[in-house]
Amino acid sequence: MIALIKFVFRLFGLILVAISVVALVADGSRSIARSELVFMPLGQAWFNFSPETLNLAQAAVQRHVSPFLWDPVIQTLLTLPVWAVAGPVGLLFLVTSARQRRRGPVLT
């Protein structure tokens, strides 16, 4: 069972790192085209992809968890670039699912 959870964490981490790389390349090409730094915030990307789920997440967090969690914490995360959120979270999943290497006997 632990191996399955580690596999899912590793897969999710790889997907998030891939999303991060794609978002970084897209932001870079947009920045080059406009000759200024341009970053797509996570909230805008989420809204463009699925506005209903963004509104549902906001309502669920404010009603069932805490309004304080949505307003300063999650809103701050939603203003960050996609790659700045997806990359570290993906790396965190990869680190937690890393295989531990067996050490052989120490010969002295």
Side-chain angles (χ1 to χ4, degrees):
M1 187 66 171
I2 299 292
L4 178 65
I5 293 172
K6 283 188 173 189
F7 171 74
V8 171
F9 271 36
R10 182 175 282 294
L11 181 65
F12 192 59
L14 288 172
I15 290 170
L16 284 175
V17 169
I19 288 171
S20 176
V21 169
V22 169
L24 186 61
V25 169
D27 285 346
S29 63
R30 251 187 251 110
S31 295
I32 290 171
R34 292 187 187 176
S35 297
E36 63 182 2
L37 284 176
V38 178
F39 299 117
M40 177 173 285
L42 178 63
Q44 181 183 355
W46 191 355
F47 183 80
N48 292 344
F49 184 68
S50 178
E52 300 85 21
T53 59
L54 177 61
N55 292 331
L56 182 65
Q58 178 183 3
V61 168
Q62 286 180 336
R63 283 190 197 128
H64 301 293
V65 181
S66 170
F68 175 77
L69 180 64
W70 182 264
D71 193 11
V73 178
I74 295 177
Q75 277 189 347
T76 303
L77 287 175
L78 292 176
T79 60
L80 295 174
V82 174
W83 55 266
V85 177
V89 172
L91 290 175
L92 182 67
F93 273 101
L94 288 175
V95 167
T96 57
S97 67
R99 297 179 193 160
Q100 292 180 352
R101 303 201 189 276
R102 284 192 180 171
R103 295 182 130 182
V106 179
L107 301 174
T108 55

